[in-house]
Amino acid sequence: MERISWNQYFMSQSHLLALRSTCERLAVGATIVREKRVIAGGYNGSVSGSVHCIDDGCKIIDGHCVRTIHAEVNAILQCAKFGVPTKGAEMYVTHFPCLNCCKTIIQSGIKKLFYATDYKNHPYALELFEDAGVEIQQVEVNYLNIDTKTKDKYYFISSLLHKLEENGVEEQEVKRLKEEASSLFTSLE
């Protein structure tokens, strides 16, 4: 058996973290690494102790969910909370960071950013990373068979089944469809 590369290994960690996301719009995970050791991880979700988007819906202002803290920021804040320095570290994130996360990454002293998926890559973010000397590299995870959209699919199917009930589809048929859908998913808790 051939071992996966360090980049694949750490990116896998980020994809695993993304499965804890409480965001309805996009599940993102981030892993911070120094000297080939994980020092922090984060996923996008609400402030600790607050209501989650998956429970109460997103709080959208100007096209953005203001309830969610991005995965990159959560990982950096975890370092701050426990006194772990980020200067010179590397970050692995499932999606290209937004502009604000880009600035946070630079300010934290992270020197290498690895991302799996392009996502609204802002030209100014690229410029800022270049000016700050942050190395950027895309890491494909083609060997990994983790469906990061599982929760999205689950909630979509649940919504459809609920609409069928509301629109008077026979109770027995809805029950059968629920059982079939349930057998497709493992527990998401």
Side-chain angles (χ1 to χ4, degrees), residues 105-119:
I105 290 165
I106 292 167
Q107 288 298 96
S108 74
I110 290 171
K111 284 299 175 191
K112 290 185 181 176
L113 174 77
F114 300 90
Y115 71 98
T117 305
D118 287 313
Y119 183 73

Side-chain angles (χ1 to χ4, degrees), residues 66-80:
V66 296
R67 178 176 283 141
T68 299
I69 300 171
H70 290 188
E72 302 91 329
V73 172
N74 267 329
I76 292 167
L77 289 173
Q78 187 179 70
C79 286

